[in-house]
Amino acid sequence: MTTTTVIPPQSTAPDARTPLIGVLALQGDVREHLAALAAAGAAARPVRRPEELAEVDALVVPGGESTTISKLAVLFGLMEPLRARVRAGMPVYGTCAGLIMLADRILDPRSGQETIGGIDMVVRRNAFGRQNESFEAAVEVTGVSGSPVEGVFIRAPWVESVGPGVEVLATHAGHVVAVRQGRALATSFHPELTGDHRVHALFVAMVRAAVAS
Ligand code: GLN
């Protein structure tokens, strides 16, 4: 008597539990974020065009120079699509210049500087000083297991004030340096530069929860 072995069809679909997270790749430390997201268990890819934005589950807005990122986002036709996706609930994480890009209001914008918005806060650019006043400090971040994390501050902004829907996750020297509002996360500092992926892991967990809901 012959027996038949039934081989189940191989699934070629990507693991539904692995979210695809874009990194806005107009200017700034894109490569470091791609590596940190991959290390935190996400699939990651650069986003430069509206079609690429449409394909990702979530987005990181990197550190760099917010005035340049703002200008290029307008030039590349990305500003309105970015605002629309954030309004529609796409998870976003901004570091430093990215935090500025996610602020509803900048205290001291360059003329013509626009933001994506999404977090009800007012930010002050270069609040911790210029490039030569960059520093590192241990920062306790709510929601990051085993906190503190090493905070790298480079011409860093701080959050001057927040609206009622915004949760303050961290402060440094009496100033707010990490916040969350719903699916939007922002830090004044750069976890992508430290090799410690716990803040990215927090974001990936936020994205997984959003994708599953
Ligand atoms: N000061 C910069 C800005 O205004 C941010 C610096 C950074 O991202 N490291 O965009």
Side-chain angles (χ1 to χ4, degrees):
M1 186 180 151
T2 55
T3 56
T4 311
T5 309
V6 178
I7 301 168
Q10 283 269 293
S11 169
T12 51
D15 182 348
R17 291 161 300 154
T18 303
L20 176 59
I21 303 181
V23 178
L24 187 64
L26 301 174
Q27 189 261 345
D29 61 349
V30 175
R31 208 159 35 94
E32 291 82 352
H33 273 293
L34 291 171
L37 288 167
R45 67 142 79 141
V47 165
R48 281 188 197 85
R49 295 179 297 121
E51 307 84 82
E52 293 167 336
L53 176 64
E55 289 169 2
V56 296
D57 298 311
L59 189 76
V60 166
V61 184
E65 176 50 50
S66 59
T67 53
T68 305
I69 295 172
S70 166
K71 238 182 264 163
L72 292 176
V74 171
L75 206 67
F76 280 58
L78 269 167
M79 193 60 99
E80 281 312 320
L82 283 165
R83 287 176 178 147
R85 288 265 351 238
V86 170
R87 258 198 313 271
M90 174 182 69
V92 280
Y93 172 32
T95 60
C96 201
L99 171 141
I100 296 168
M101 289 299 296
L102 295 183
D104 283 350
R105 207 154 74 76
I106 309 176
L107 205 61
D108 49 355
R110 275 277 180 83
S111 88
Q113 180 171 5
E114 296 184 34
T115 70
I116 301 164
I119 300 182
D120 180 10
M121 63 178 173
V122 180
V123 300
R124 184 185 290 275
R125 295 179 54 232
N126 303 319
F128 283 110
R130 310 297 315 176
Q131 189 84 29
N132 60 0
E133 293 161 288
S134 299
F135 60 95
E136 295 182 19
V139 183
E140 289 282 349
V141 185
T142 303
V144 172
S145 60
S147 211
V149 302
E150 191 60 22
V152 178
F153 294 82
I154 305 168
R155 288 179 296 121
W158 69 49
V159 178
E160 194 81 15
S161 63
V162 297
V166 179
E167 188 188 353
V168 171
L169 302 183
T171 59
H172 174 73
H175 301 288
V176 174
V177 294
V179 292
R180 176 177 176 175
Q181 182 170 21
R183 292 175 175 173
L185 177 70
T187 60
S188 295
F189 50 92
H190 293 272
E192 72 280 11
L193 300 181
T194 63
D196 174 349
H197 309 302
R198 286 175 295 162
V199 178
H200 286 79
L202 167 66
F203 182 57
V204 172
M206 286 168 57
V207 177
R208 283 181 192 278
V211 167
S213 70

